[in-house]
């Protein structure tokens, strides 16, 4: 039986919730489930915006059939080829063989990659700024490469001011009957999952998100329809402001996130002592045991907090396993603009501090404090002063007036795949290392 909701008088949500999924993309826990959003426009021509994951195919096909009410499906717009949004595309093509697939060239290639070269398609290939008129509605297609795959595009409906935003502006969590963000207390109950979704799924691509936001603010938006999570029709600016902040790698909270890896509790003890001293100084703290808490939670917190402390025992002459995984995860997500300190432990050879510094030191605009704490097995009484000095150094770093922002590097972004070339000038013979397109397909940041 169908389960649909109207977004507007002629736009219907035909997606589905999945509460049985344990790990999104096999990596991120989703204890509250996830929604797969698809939208059907009932104009003179009918248009389906994306499909859904195979896990919810039955209810999806029922929803589409009901919403069409016997009409033909004229177009299916494929904005993103990740299988949680395209796995049921082949089923749509079987049920509606005359449908036209609207996509860009990169997407078309991926369709054949996923479903085989023998697939028969009626394709309308679009590029940046192309328009499809469906009757009362005019759909403009805007490329959004690397938000977060190279083929991604978004669609703007100028008739109603709707931005179909693909994976941008999404969140983890099932909708549970609610469709609009204003039907729940989003910023109280869902912002944490929205942050975790952004930082882990899209966080690496801040420059590309900024490029998309630049396009978004150039048009009048009354509604945002993402592929995961709630539809936005009120307080849109508040949510867009979060994306502006996250994509610029600006912290939301002035405070200290402390992540520690401790085998027998001694490293954890020092982390707790530091947290107590920081609280005595009036500084907000958040603590994580990296062996207990999923990396995605800590990555999100690292994006949220202004100052970070990593404490790890030495293990097999290296960083403890779960801490090593966390730091490399943070590096892969391109974290920037934080002040960082380290605590190391090693009964006979404390090497974790140096190795942690090397990983974090590879990131942009990271201030690493000289003050640190180095243990041999457990904290000695005479080392309490080291912990106090570290707390004081963190406090001093917070209280300093912000230094004048350094001049931003100039650069060029590939319009095809989103690769960023940093430099004042782009060589005329430059070839993109990702998509192999030439300098003519780059534009200034």
């Amino acid at each position: 039986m169908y389960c649909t909701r109207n977004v507007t008088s002629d736009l219907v949500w035909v997606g589905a919730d999945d509460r049985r999924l344990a790990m999104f993309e096999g990596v991120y826990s989703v204890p509250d489930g996830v929604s797969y959003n698809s939208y059907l426009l009932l104009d003179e021509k009918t248009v389906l915006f994306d499909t859904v994951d195979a896990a919810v195919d039955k209810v999806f096909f029922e929803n589409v059939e009901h919403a069409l009410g016997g009409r033909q499906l004229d177009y299916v717009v494929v904005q993103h080829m990740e299988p949680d949004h395209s796995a049921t595309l082949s089923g749509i093509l079987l049920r509606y063989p005359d449908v036209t697939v609207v996509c860009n060239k990169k997407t078309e290639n991926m369709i054949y990659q996923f479903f085989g070269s023998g697939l028969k398609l009626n394709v309308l290939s679009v590029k940046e700024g192309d328009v499809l008129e469906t009757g009362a509605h005019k759909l403009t297609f805007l490329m959004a490469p690397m938000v977060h795959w190279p083929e991604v595009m978004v669609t703007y409906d100028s008739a109603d001011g709707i931005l179909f935003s693909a994976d941008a502006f999404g969140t983890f969590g099932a909708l549970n009957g609610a469709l609009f963000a204003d039907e729940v207390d989003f910023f109280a109950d869902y912002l944490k999952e929205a942050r975790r979704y952004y930082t882990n799924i899209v966080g690496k691509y801040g420059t590309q998100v900024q490029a998309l936001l630049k396009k978004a603010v150039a048009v009048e938006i009354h509604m945002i329809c993402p592929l995961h999570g709630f539809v936005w029709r009120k307080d849109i600016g508040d949510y867009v402001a979060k994306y502006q902040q996250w994509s610029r790698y600006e912290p939301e909270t002035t405070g200290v996130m402390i992540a520690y890896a401790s085998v027998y509790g001694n490293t954890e003890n020092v982390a707790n002592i530091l947290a107590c001293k920081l609280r005595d100084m009036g500084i907000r703290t958040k603590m994580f045991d990296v062996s207990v808490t999923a990396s995605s939670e800590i990555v999100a917190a690292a994006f949220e907090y202004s100052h970070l402390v990593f404490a790890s025992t030495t293990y097999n002459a290296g960083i403890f396993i779960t801490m090593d995984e966390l730091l490399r995860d943070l590096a892969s997500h391109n974290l920037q603009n934080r002040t960082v300190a380290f605590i190391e432990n090693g009964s006979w050879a404390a090497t974790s501090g140096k190795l942690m510094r090397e990983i974090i030191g590879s990131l942009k605009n990271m201030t690493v404090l000289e003050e640190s704490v180095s243990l041999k097995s457990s904290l000695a009484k005479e080392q309490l002063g080291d912990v106090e000095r570290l707390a004081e150094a963190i406090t001093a770093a917070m209280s300093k007036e912000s230094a004048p922002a350094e001049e931003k590097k100039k650069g060029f972004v590939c319009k095809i795949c989103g690769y960023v070339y940093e430099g004042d000038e782009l060589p005329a013979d430059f070839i993109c290392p990702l998509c192999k397109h030439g300098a003519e397909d780059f534009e200034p940041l």
Side-chain angles (χ1 to χ4, degrees):
M1 183 60 68
Y2 66 87
C3 179
T4 64
R5 283 198 64 184
N6 273 64
V7 181
T8 66
S9 60
D10 58 0
L11 181 67
V12 184
W13 177 83
V14 292
D17 282 336
D18 184 359
R19 299 181 190 85
R20 293 187 174 184
L21 182 67
M23 301 294 285
F24 185 79
E25 295 186 355
V27 181
Y28 312 112
S29 61
V30 281
D32 297 318
V34 67
S35 72
Y36 302 113
N37 297 341
S38 176
Y39 307 91
L40 181 65
L41 179 64
L42 301 170
D43 201 1
E44 292 176 20
K45 297 289 186 180
T46 57
V47 184
L48 181 67
F49 293 94
D50 296 289
T51 63
V52 298
D53 190 88
V56 292
D57 59 353
K58 182 177 183 294
V59 67
F60 168 67
F61 292 131
E62 291 174 349
N63 287 348
V64 172
E65 181 181 7
H66 168 75
L68 281 171
R71 294 183 62 181
Q72 178 58 263
L73 180 61
D74 296 304
Y75 297 102
V76 55
V77 176
V78 183
Q79 300 183 116
H80 183 20
M81 267 305 295
E82 200 166 6
D84 57 330
H85 307 300
S86 69
T88 45
L89 176 62
S90 58
I92 288 292
L93 297 176
L94 286 172
R95 288 165 172 78
Y96 307 98
D98 296 327
V99 69
T100 297
V101 176
V102 183
C103 63
N104 59 55
K105 190 62 180 176
K106 278 186 171 294
T107 300
E108 183 180 355
N109 292 338
M110 286 189 179
I111 291 174
Y112 292 120
Q113 288 174 194
F114 276 104
F115 299 112
S117 58
L119 187 68
K120 301 299 181 183
L121 291 179
N122 301 317
V123 175
L124 174 60
S125 185
V126 296
K127 57 185 183 301
E128 179 76 20
D130 282 355
V131 174
L132 173 64
E133 296 193 26
T134 63
H137 295 265
K138 182 185 291 186
L139 308 176
T140 303
F141 303 102
L142 306 171
M143 302 302 117
M146 300 317 299
V147 185
H148 60 119
W149 277 22
E151 89 297 355
V152 174
M153 67 181 188
V154 300
T155 307
Y156 177 66
D157 176 9
S158 58
D160 289 332
I162 298 177
L163 179 69
F164 296 92
S165 62
D167 263 352
F169 302 108
T171 185
F172 291 133
L175 298 178
N176 301 322
L179 176 60
F180 301 100
D182 56 272
E183 293 181 310
V184 298
D185 192 340
F186 182 87
F187 287 99
D189 298 333
Y190 290 89
L191 181 61
K192 180 181 177 182
E193 286 297 80
R195 183 189 300 109
R196 188 165 70 94
Y197 173 90
Y198 172 87
T199 55
N200 286 277
I201 303 297
V202 194
K204 179 181 178 68
Y205 305 105
T207 299
Q208 289 79 8
V209 173
Q210 282 286 303
L212 175 59
L213 290 172
K214 184 178 179 182
K215 294 178 183 180
V217 298
V219 296
E220 188 174 357
I221 296 177
H222 299 299
M223 194 175 291
I224 296 177
C225 292
L227 289 179
H228 296 292
F230 300 101
V231 172
W232 285 81
R233 61 184 178 182
K234 296 180 180 179
D235 303 319
I236 292 174
D238 293 341
Y239 196 33
V240 172
K242 288 296 181 184
Y243 262 65
Q244 289 281 11
Q245 193 171 36
W246 295 335
S247 61
R248 290 195 296 257
Y249 303 98
E250 295 177 354
E252 296 172 78
T253 301
T254 300
V256 183
M257 186 207 81
I258 303 173
Y260 65 88
S262 186
V263 180
Y264 297 110
N266 293 304
T267 306
E268 178 185 16
N269 183 50
V270 179
N272 281 326
I273 293 170
L274 175 63
C276 289
K277 291 187 179 299
L278 289 170
R279 285 288 181 171
D280 282 342
M281 296 172 176
I283 294 174
R284 182 174 178 176
T285 58
K286 181 73 173 179
M287 298 187 70
F288 296 98
D289 182 336
V290 300
S291 296
V292 174
T293 307
S295 178
S296 66
E297 298 276 356
I298 309 175
V299 168
F303 270 73
E304 180 184 2
Y305 278 79
S306 59
H307 292 64
L308 313 175
V309 175
F310 299 103
S312 178
T313 186
T314 300
Y315 194 77
N316 287 335
I319 307 168
F320 189 75
I321 300 166
T322 49
M323 178 62 77
D324 186 74
E325 291 174 349
L326 168 66
L327 295 177
R328 296 188 188 281
D329 203 8
L330 285 170
S332 72
H333 285 87
N334 205 23
L335 183 66
Q336 302 173 27
N337 308 324
R338 297 296 187 273
T339 297
V340 188
F342 298 98
I343 297 170
E344 67 175 1
N345 194 349
S347 293
W348 58 90
T351 61
S352 58
K354 174 179 176 291
L355 297 173
M356 288 191 290
R357 274 184 168 82
E358 290 176 358
I359 297 173
I360 294 299
S362 68
L363 304 179
K364 294 181 181 179
N365 300 326
M366 303 295 271
T367 300
V368 177
L369 297 179
E370 293 183 6
E371 291 79 6
S372 64
V373 180
S374 183
L375 314 176
K376 286 189 176 180
S377 302
S378 63
L379 186 70
K381 281 186 178 181
E382 58 270 20
Q383 287 186 297
L384 278 172
D386 294 340
V387 182
E388 291 173 354
R389 281 186 287 275
L390 179 55
E392 290 167 356
I394 293 171
T395 304
M398 284 187 178
S399 63
K400 283 182 181 178
E401 292 184 2
S402 298
E406 63 180 55
E407 184 179 350
K408 291 184 179 180
K409 292 182 179 179
K410 294 181 180 179
F412 301 82
V413 62
C414 178
K415 294 183 288 186
I416 306 301
C417 72
Y419 174 81
V420 175
Y421 174 89
E422 291 186 351
D424 292 338
E425 293 185 8
L426 181 70
D429 59 351
F430 184 77
I431 301 296
C432 178
L434 293 183
C435 68
K436 309 306 179 186
H437 281 70
E440 66 276 6
D441 287 316
F442 280 73
E443 62 183 4
L445 286 173

